[in-house]
Amino acid sequence: MEFLLFTFVGVVHLLSLSSGKPIYKNDISRRTFQEIREEIASYGDVAKAIIDLAVYGKAQNRSYERLALLVDTVGPRPSGSRSLEKAIQIMYQNLREDGLENVHLEPVKIPHWERGEESAVMLEPRIHRMAILGLGSSIGTPPEGITAEVLVVTSFEELQRRAPEARGKIVVYNQPYVNYSTTVQYRVQGAVEAAKVGALASLIRSVASFSIYSPHTGIQEYQDGVPKIPTACITVEDAEMMSRMASRGNRIVIQLKMGAKNYPDADSFNTVAEIIGSKYPEQVVLVSGHLDSWDVGQGAMDDGGGAFISWEALSLIKDLGLRPKRTLRLVLWTAEEQGGVGAFQYYLLHQANISNYSLVMESDLGTFLPSGLQFTGSDKARAIVEEVMHLLQPVNVTRVFRAGEGTDINFWIQAGVPEN
């Protein structure tokens, strides 16, 4: 986990400490790019100190140990749960004890959904108990469940072509995996599209490139004016099996039972801590990850790792006695899994000061050995970030990829941060 940290610290720290003058927006026209490049290069010793502390010094494995303690203590942290609120309070205390500044909680309202007991049993052409995971915000079935024939499709287009066959059935999506952003649309929209053609429920092939008979959960979205039907993910193996059965003309019947319930929105918090800038405290470089998780795992990877390396970025700078000229702000989001609910409320609260946000970053792609940094912004801003990333050559993390995105920061990206 420590290796990914450098992607954050290198960019955040060096953009925060540089010059004391904005190196973007209007000021970039008053400074030559060569001047900016030379100034960034002058921070080579600072970057090396951060790397040495994280990889070889007392901070080695610290973020891992911190993360392990939280997930072992709290476990899963679904939106609206007591365990999530316990985790938030623990992190609030941790950040205070770490000596960070302006540690506080910003109230938000978040969804509260519980899956309850759930099962799916194939009754025809043979008895087969299937592994399923209900999708977030799904309604439940009646207590006796829904027993119906299955229609297997591989795309929304096929569903439309076969719409008359779907009425009164359970639609099973066996969509091929292309990539996550493309294929996840079946999980998000599958229930709505099936309901539009009169289906009683929908089962979606898990959005994964491979499977060991492991269904995946995630958020799904209903649409106003469209009936709400129960929806869950099934394994890749079962989706493929039913597709083969259907191609042979077999009649497939499933009994689906889901005890899912939606409750009124719950009170929660985004968790915030800072290292206040010495010269331009109103200007903000934001790093972030989300504390909430789904209920079927500990949330160590999604997104405990991202949250904790973001915290570690501030810890390393504090431990080295560095004081950035701009404020370095950590935000641990709540209810990301429900569609970035906490982050959107944060954006609404702070968007009036959007011109003060220099860079907004999120880690939510897994804490693996990194290969670079994803970035979305203007060409001028990209050129500056590329120079900053050269300072991470000691750990071979220098590439700047395009199409940077994240559920919790897309609001800022769409608003043009950073613009120049």
Side-chain angles (χ1 to χ4, degrees):
M1 290 190 185
E2 299 297 342
F3 286 104
L4 188 56
L5 178 61
F6 304 134
T7 309
F8 273 79
V9 173
V11 174
V12 170
H13 178 66
L14 292 163
L15 283 182
S16 296
L17 272 78
S18 60
S19 88
K21 299 178 181 178
I23 58 175
Y24 37 78
K25 302 186 179 174
N26 294 332
D27 191 66
I28 196 167
S29 63
R30 300 196 296 269
R31 300 182 64 202
T32 68
F33 184 72
Q34 183 60 31
E35 289 174 327
I36 294 171
R37 173 184 289 169
E38 290 172 358
E39 182 172 358
I40 291 172
S42 73
Y43 285 98
D45 289 344
V46 174
K48 184 177 185 302
I50 295 171
I51 291 170
D52 288 346
L53 176 60
V55 178
Y56 310 111
K58 68 176 184 179
Q60 184 182 29
N61 294 325
R62 179 169 61 185
S63 59
Y64 175 86
E65 296 298 336
R66 286 170 165 175
L67 172 62
L69 178 59
L70 181 79
V71 298
D72 291 348
T73 301
V74 178
R77 304 173 300 280
S79 176
S81 69
R82 291 183 179 178
S83 58
L84 173 58
E85 299 317 304
K86 181 179 179 180
I88 290 171
Q89 294 301 322
I90 289 173
M91 290 304 300
Y92 171 77
Q93 190 61 35
N94 286 344
L95 297 173
R96 286 173 56 90
E97 292 175 356
D98 195 32
L100 299 179
E101 300 165 319
N102 195 22
V103 178
H104 65 280
L105 302 175
E106 299 190 3
V108 295
K109 286 284 190 179
I110 62 173
H112 181 192
W113 174 84
E114 295 180 3
R115 73 174 58 255
E117 296 294 324
E118 54 190 15
S119 65
V121 181
M122 179 189 292
L123 304 177
E124 296 181 33
R126 65 179 177 89
I127 301 296
H128 171 56
R129 184 170 294 275
M130 304 167 64
I132 68 165
L133 283 177
L135 294 177
S137 80
S138 175
I139 65 169
T141 65
E144 68 277 12
I146 294 173
T147 301
E149 189 174 344
V150 163
L151 173 67
V152 181
V153 297
T154 59
S155 66
F156 290 140
E157 291 74 18
E158 182 181 358
L159 178 64
Q160 290 302 313
R161 291 196 305 270
R162 303 178 65 185
E165 301 176 57
R167 182 165 298 278
K169 293 182 181 177
I170 296 173
V171 169
V172 169
Y173 292 95
N174 184 37
Q175 76 284 347
Y177 183 84
V178 179
N179 54 53
Y180 183 80
S181 60
T182 299
T183 314
V184 76
Q185 298 305 312
Y186 286 88
R187 191 195 76 205
V188 176
Q189 302 172 12
V192 165
E193 296 304 316
K196 287 178 180 178
V197 292
L200 302 179
S202 65
L203 297 174
I204 293 90
R205 168 178 165 155
S206 289
V207 184
S209 56
F210 66 94
S211 174
I212 50 172
Y213 203 70
S214 50
H216 295 196
T217 191
I219 195 65
Q220 66 87 35
E221 297 176 356
Y222 289 124
Q223 184 176 311
D224 291 343
V226 179
K228 296 179 179 180
I229 61 174
T231 183
C233 269
I234 58 176
T235 67
V236 172
E237 292 90 336
D238 280 340
E240 288 283 353
M241 177 185 67
M242 285 189 281
S243 184
R244 293 192 301 271
M245 289 176 170
S247 69
R248 300 183 191 115
N250 294 135
R251 181 174 185 266
I252 306 169
V253 176
I254 287 177
Q255 182 186 63
L256 176 67
K257 292 184 179 181
M258 293 175 60
K261 291 183 179 179
N262 287 281
Y263 296 92
D265 285 354
D267 294 318
S268 188
F269 304 92
N270 291 317
T271 309
V272 183
E274 294 179 336
I275 297 178
I276 298 172
S278 62
K279 193 168 184 179
Y280 297 97
E282 76 284 356
Q283 294 180 18
V284 176
V285 173
L286 187 151
V287 294
S288 66
H290 66 87
L291 270 185
D292 64 296
S293 74
W294 288 108
D295 56 320
V296 291
Q298 288 189 315
M301 185 66 78
D302 186 9
D303 181 36
F308 274 71
I309 63 172
S310 299
W311 171 19
E312 185 71 13
L314 274 68
S315 283
L316 290 171
I317 291 172
K318 175 188 65 66
D319 289 351
L320 288 169
L322 300 170
R323 172 69 64 175
K325 290 188 173 77
R326 294 168 180 79
T327 293
L328 180 55
R329 179 177 298 167
L330 166 70
V331 182
L332 304 178
W333 311 111
T334 191
E336 184 274 348
E337 298 293 2
Q338 279 61 41
V341 175
F344 180 60
Q345 292 179 56
Y346 177 92
Y347 175 75
L348 293 178
L349 182 64
H350 294 273
Q351 64 176 332
N353 299 316
I354 193 169
S355 62
N356 287 332
Y357 283 77
S358 308
L359 192 66
V360 178
M361 303 179 69
E362 176 181 24
S363 174
D364 194 14
L365 291 178
T367 42
F368 306 101
L369 186 68
S371 56
L373 177 74
Q374 284 186 321
F375 178 82
T376 293
S378 69
D379 290 341
K380 291 179 180 179
R382 172 177 293 277
I384 293 170
V385 170
E386 287 174 346
E387 292 300 315
V388 173
M389 293 297 286
H390 288 165
L391 295 170
L392 302 183
Q393 184 60 52
V395 286
N396 196 30
V397 184
T398 60
R399 298 181 66 184
V400 180
F401 300 96
R402 296 193 177 272
E405 55 83 29
T407 298
D408 291 314
I409 63 172
N410 279 338
F411 317 108
W412 300 92
I413 291 173
Q414 291 164 9
V417 177
E419 294 177 326
N420 292 306

